[in-house]
């Protein structure tokens, strides 16, 4: 037995010595000052939607003379000037010696760093060259000035819908009202239960309105408004103190989804960041149309097959797959974008590891970009979880799944189950970072 322990100790000691020797050998032959030097294609970058698809900045660096045949791996770090790079944008360039940025890509990075749109700001850039786990060389700082643009609308308002018909009188955040083209007129698109609701300001009871006469005229602190289960458009005029509640929804119908209405239409939801309607839908080979309130009175197709929707127009051909469908009713435009991975929640904490369908995520339109499919942020809202464990998987299949080995909020491919407690939550998956992360927030 002593001999076995001695052999083990010798083996461990040899590994430590080899590792130390490797580091010492690298340091012994490494040229002093062998660090990358950064070059930028422009000292100033002013971004706008007009240059969103143009190359606006190129970062390059030369491979240093390390003094031996090294195969470094490079990382670009970008932060606000004077920052400590703890929350910097990070891009793994591998063995490449250059990185180009298009306008939309760089704009998203700048906004995520907290830069204000429309104001010029200074930024620092540095390159790290990793030679081994023990040896990482960092370039001197380079800098440039950039101006970001606001790439999404801000239609938010302080008003919301609260009640037994929506959030159990404030058990979680009120359903939001959004600004419209008319000042002091706000609109909410909300799915209600049988129950009652009121309109209040800032998720607080200090300012709230009901309807004493059930006649569409609002009174401060007035009576609860009775509702039936359904999806509604609620229009609130804060100047005239009136409210209008009408059945309202948009959905996808067709042989490609629900055999032209044999089952409910695929719902589209309002995106207040672009003033459009969007939905993630898994389709079959077939055709579809867009219609209002699950009824044919108002429906749209595409007569020219050109992305322009037409009232009562021709059916839209579809191929099997999962898609993000975006409809702009103001411009009569529709886009259909293929999605590789549709993320879902599975586990004993939700659906007994797949006994029922996974809870599916939707793209977070507040952090939306053209590469949302692979580098986007996904959100699942108002998820009711049980005490147990969960994981995140793509397309209701185990071939691509994530857990959390360290219980530290970092997503690990095939990682450990994530423990959860019973409650209602919002869940975010963020693949926009070099190391993907997740966040589970109790409502």
């Amino acid at each position: 037995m002593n001999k076995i322990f001695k052999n083990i100790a010798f083996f461990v000691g040899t590994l430590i010595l080899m590792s130390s020797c490797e580091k010492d050998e690298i340091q012994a032959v490494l040229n002093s000052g062998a660090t990358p030097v950064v070059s930028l294609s422009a000292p100033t970058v002013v971004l706008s939607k007009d240059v969103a698809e143009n190359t606006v900045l190129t970062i390059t660096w030369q491979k240093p003379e390390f003094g031996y045949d090294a195969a470094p791996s490079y990382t670009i770090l970008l932060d606000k000037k004077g920052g400590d790079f703890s929350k910097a944008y990070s891009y793994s360039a591998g063995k490449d010696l250059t990185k180009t940025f298009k306008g939309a890509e760089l704009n998203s990075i700048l906004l995520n760093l907290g830069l204000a749109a429309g104001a010029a700001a200074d930024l620092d850039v540095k390159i790290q060259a990793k030679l081994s786990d023990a040896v990482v060389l960092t370039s001197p700082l380079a800098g440039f000035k950039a101006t970001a643009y606001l790439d999404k609308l801000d239609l938010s308002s302080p008003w919301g819908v609260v009640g037994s018909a929506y959030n159990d009188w404030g058990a979680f955040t009120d359903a939001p009202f959004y600004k419209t083209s008319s000042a002091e007129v706000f609109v909410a698109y909300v799915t209600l239960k049988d129950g009652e609701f009121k309109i209040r300001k800032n998720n607080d009871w200090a300012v709230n309105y009901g309807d004493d006469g059930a006649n569409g005229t609002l009174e401060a602190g007035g009576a609860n408004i009775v509702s039936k289960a359904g999806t509604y458009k609620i229009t609130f005029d804060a100047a005239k103190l009136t409210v209008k509640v009408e059945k309202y929804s948009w959905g996808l119908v067709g042989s490609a989804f629900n055999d032209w209405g044999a089952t409910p239409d695929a719902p589209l939801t309002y995106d207040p960041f672009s003033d459009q309607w969007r939905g993630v839908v898994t389709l079959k080979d077939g055709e579809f149309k867009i219609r209002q309130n699950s009824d044919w009175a108002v429906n749209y197709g595409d007569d020219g097959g050109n992305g322009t929707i037409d009232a009562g127009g021709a059916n839209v051909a579809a191929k099997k797959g999962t898609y993000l469908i975006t409809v702009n009713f103001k411009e009569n435009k529709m886009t259909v974008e293929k999605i590789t991975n549709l993320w879902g929640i599975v586990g004993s904490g939700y659906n007994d590891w797949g006994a029922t369908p996974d809870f599916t995520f939707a793209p977070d339109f507040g952090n939306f970009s053209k590469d949302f499919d692979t580098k986007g942020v996904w959100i699942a809202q108002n998820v009711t979880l049980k005490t147990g464990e969960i994981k995140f998987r793509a397309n209701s299949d185990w071939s691509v799944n994530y857990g959390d080995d360290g219980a530290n909020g970092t997503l690990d491919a095939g990682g450990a189950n994530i423990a959860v407690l019973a409650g209602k939550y919002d869940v975010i998956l963020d693949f926009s970072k070099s190391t993907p992360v997740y966040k589970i927030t109790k409502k």
Side-chain angles (χ1 to χ4, degrees):
M1 183 62 72
N2 286 338
K3 183 177 181 181
I4 293 174
F5 283 139
K6 287 179 180 179
N7 287 338
I8 292 173
F10 174 78
F11 178 71
V12 172
T14 301
L15 287 178
I16 294 172
L17 180 61
M18 288 173 62
S19 175
S20 176
C21 288
E22 179 185 6
K23 178 180 177 181
D24 290 343
E25 287 171 3
I26 292 175
Q27 296 286 9
V29 298
L30 187 63
N31 284 337
S32 60
T35 57
V37 177
V38 184
S39 296
L40 304 175
S41 62
T44 302
V45 179
V46 179
L47 301 174
S48 69
K49 290 185 179 180
D50 293 337
V51 298
E53 296 305 312
N54 298 347
T55 296
V56 295
L57 181 69
T58 301
I59 300 176
T60 58
W61 58 97
Q62 291 185 343
K63 182 179 179 180
E65 292 294 334
F66 293 110
Y68 70 103
D69 188 16
S73 177
Y74 297 102
T75 299
I76 300 173
L77 295 172
L78 192 155
D79 200 358
K80 291 182 288 187
K81 186 174 181 61
D84 62 4
F85 287 88
S86 62
K87 297 181 180 179
Y89 163 78
S90 174
Y91 174 79
S92 297
K95 300 187 186 311
D96 292 342
L97 298 173
T98 185
K99 164 64 178 169
T100 59
F101 294 89
K102 290 190 174 182
E105 178 186 11
L106 183 58
N107 194 67
S108 177
I109 293 167
L110 299 181
L111 294 177
N112 285 334
L113 287 174
L115 271 63
D122 291 307
L123 294 112
D124 289 332
V125 181
K126 64 182 180 181
I127 306 296
Q128 289 183 335
K130 182 177 180 180
L131 302 177
S132 71
D133 288 340
V135 181
V136 178
L137 306 176
T138 302
S139 73
L141 291 179
F144 69 102
K145 189 181 294 289
T147 303
Y149 65 91
L150 188 63
D151 63 348
K152 54 181 177 286
L153 299 175
D154 182 7
L155 300 180
S156 61
S157 86
W159 299 101
V161 178
V162 62
S164 60
Y166 178 69
N167 62 348
D168 195 21
W169 296 109
F172 53 91
T173 307
D174 298 354
F177 278 93
Y178 301 109
K179 298 174 186 174
T180 68
S181 57
S182 300
E184 296 301 310
V185 177
F186 305 92
V187 63
Y189 301 101
V190 58
T191 298
L192 299 177
K193 303 174 287 186
D194 288 340
E196 299 175 319
F197 72 88
K198 297 185 79 172
I199 296 169
R200 66 176 181 173
K201 194 173 186 178
N202 297 324
N203 286 275
D204 188 86
W205 288 108
V207 179
N208 75 89
Y209 293 99
D211 185 353
D212 287 335
N215 58 1
T217 299
L218 296 170
E219 292 81 27
N224 299 342
I225 302 169
V226 177
S227 72
K228 295 291 185 181
T231 302
Y232 294 90
K233 175 182 180 180
I234 303 176
T235 305
F236 164 51
D237 190 323
K240 297 179 181 178
L241 289 183
T242 60
V243 64
K244 181 181 180 182
V245 182
E246 54 188 318
K247 281 268 195 177
Y248 194 87
S249 65
W250 289 103
L252 182 147
V253 62
S255 60
F257 180 72
N258 64 346
D259 195 20
W260 296 108
T263 58
D265 295 359
L268 304 182
T269 57
Y270 181 64
D271 171 15
F273 301 101
S274 66
D275 197 21
Q276 301 179 114
W277 289 78
R278 285 173 156 153
V280 175
V281 187
T282 299
L283 300 177
K284 303 173 286 187
D285 290 337
E287 298 176 318
F288 71 87
K289 297 186 79 172
I290 304 297
R291 65 178 181 173
Q292 188 182 88
N293 298 334
S294 299
D295 187 88
W296 288 108
V298 179
N299 74 88
Y300 288 90
D302 184 353
D303 287 334
N306 57 4
T308 298
I309 57 174
D310 306 284
N315 299 342
V316 181
K319 293 291 186 181
K320 181 179 179 181
T322 300
Y323 299 87
L324 172 66
I325 297 176
T326 302
V327 184
N328 186 326
F329 291 104
K330 290 186 176 180
E331 298 179 3
N332 289 329
K333 299 290 185 182
M334 178 173 65
T335 60
V336 180
E337 302 171 77
K338 187 76 178 286
I339 292 178
T340 304
N341 290 325
L342 178 58
W343 295 100
I345 298 173
V346 64
S348 60
Y350 179 70
N351 64 347
D352 195 21
W353 296 108
T356 58
D358 296 359
F359 191 104
T360 56
F361 287 79
D364 180 2
F365 300 127
N367 292 284
F368 193 71
S369 61
K370 284 186 174 295
D371 57 357
F372 75 94
D373 191 18
T374 56
K375 298 180 182 178
V377 179
W378 296 76
I379 185 167
Q381 294 181 299
N382 299 327
V383 187
T384 300
L385 298 179
K386 302 174 286 187
T387 298
E389 298 177 319
I390 61 170
K391 296 188 78 174
F392 310 116
R393 64 178 181 174
N395 308 319
S396 298
D397 188 87
W398 286 108
S399 58
V400 179
N401 74 88
Y402 284 91
D404 183 355
D405 288 333
N408 58 0
T410 298
L411 291 170
D412 302 289
N417 299 343
I418 300 165
V420 294
L421 298 175
K424 190 178 288 287
Y425 297 85
D426 285 346
V427 185
I428 294 175
L429 304 181
D430 187 350
F431 295 100
S432 68
K433 298 176 173 54
S434 56
T435 300
V437 297
Y438 72 96
K439 185 177 182 180
I440 302 176
T441 304
K442 200 165 196 299
K443 300 288 284 186

